[in-house]
Amino acid sequence: MNFEEIESQYKEILSAYLNRQSEEALYKGQEFSRKLLAEKVSPEEIISVHKAMLQDLSPDIPDDILHSLDVLLEVMIGYGIAYREHQSLRHRQQEIQTEIEIAVNVQQTLLETKIPQTDAVEIGAISVPAKMMSGDYYHFVHNENDSFSVAIADVIGKGIPAAMCMSMIKYAMDSLPDTRVAPSYVLGNLNRVVEQNVDASMFITMFYGMYDLTKHLFSFASAGHEPPLYYESATDSFYELDARGLVLGIDRHATYEQFEKQIGINDLVILFSDGVTECRTEEGFIEVDKIIDLIKSYIHLPPQAIVELVYRDLEKIQDFQLRDDFTLIILKRNV
C-alpha cells in the first residue's frame, strides 16, 4: 500500500463518519488501523494524513483546530519513537527469555543426577532455584565398591553466572580420573580447576562425602560449605559435624582435611546450602534451631518426605518468595 492509497482510503473513512457518525464507519476505521500497523505507518504520519484530509473535506475549519493538530503531531512524533524503542526492547526481551529457557533445560540436563537406591541407606533430596537457573549443585555417584559419594556445592551468587559456574564444576567432577577417591583429594583437584577458570569475584563452597555401605563410615571434607547436621537416634539429639576448609578457588595450593563419622542405625546426615539457613522473614534470618525443629517434627517420615515438607514450611515462612537457591539432602541409615 503506497501513501496515496493510504490517503485515499483514510479520506473515504473520515468523510463517511463526518457525514453520518455511524458505528459502521468507526468499525472501518478500526480495520484500517490494522492495515496501517501491518504497513508500519507511524503515528505521526497518521496525524499528518488526518490533518490534510480534514482540510480537504472542510476548507473552512477553524485555525485553532488545525493548530491543535500540529501540537498532536509533535506529541505523536515523540510517542512514535518511544513506542518503536519499546517494541524493539520487547522483541529483544522475548529473544533473551527464549535463550534463558534453553539454557535452563541444558543446565537441568547437565546437572541431572541419579540418587543411589540401597537397602542400608535411604536418601531424600530437593533442590529449588531462586530464579530460573540455579547456583546450587548436588551430585551422587554410586560406586562399585559398596559405597556412594555425595557432593553439594553453592556459588555465592544467583542467576546465569552462578549457573555457568555450576556447570563447570559438574564438568570438572566428571573429568576426575576416579570419583571414588578420598573426599579431600577430590576437593583439592576441584580447587585447582576453579582457581584457574573462575573469575576472582566468584566464590564456590562445596561439601564432598563418601559413604561406605559395608562399614557405615562416612568420610567427608568441606571447602567453606555449611557444616552438616547430624541426628543421633540413640540420644535423640542434633549437632553439627566438624568440617572446615577454604572456599574453592582462593588458593590453588590449599589442602583439605578429611573427617570421618560412624553412622548409627536410624541416624541422619543432613546436608544443605545456605539458602536453607538464610531464609528471611520479617524478623530477619531464621536460626538453625528452626531447621532442626522442622526436621524433628517430621523425623518419623522417610527422608524424601522430610526434605519436601521442610521446604514447604520454609517457603511458607518466606511468603513463597525464595531469596536464594534452596538445596536440602538427608541420608538415613536404615539397617
Side-chain angles (χ1 to χ4, degrees), residues 241-275:
L241 290 180
D242 186 21
R244 302 182 186 89
L246 192 64
V247 172
L248 296 179
I250 299 296
D251 177 7
R252 67 174 305 174
H253 301 294
T255 57
Y256 295 89
E257 185 177 358
Q258 186 164 304
F259 304 86
E260 292 182 346
K261 174 64 181 175
Q262 192 69 44
I263 310 299
I265 295 176
N266 292 324
D267 288 4
L268 306 181
V269 178
I270 303 155
L271 313 176
F272 47 88
S273 64
D274 61 8

Side-chain angles (χ1 to χ4, degrees), residues 273-291:
S273 64
D274 61 8
V276 177
T277 55
E278 293 183 3
C279 290
R280 186 191 295 270
T281 66
E282 293 181 356
E283 291 76 28
F285 292 116
I286 66 172
E287 301 292 334
V288 174
D289 289 345
K290 176 64 176 177
I291 308 297

Side-chain angles (χ1 to χ4, degrees), residues 27 39 45-47 67 81 102 117 127 137 142 144 148 174 178 181 194 225 234 236 249 267 269 287 305:
Y27 179 71
E39 295 291 331
E45 288 175 314
I46 297 173
I47 299 298
H67 294 330
I81 294 172
I102 293 172
Q117 302 295 318
S127 187
Y137 160 73
H142 199 160
E144 298 175 358
F148 68 84
D174 291 342
D178 191 346
V181 296
V194 172
H225 199 77
D236 191 29
D267 288 4
V269 178
E287 301 292 334

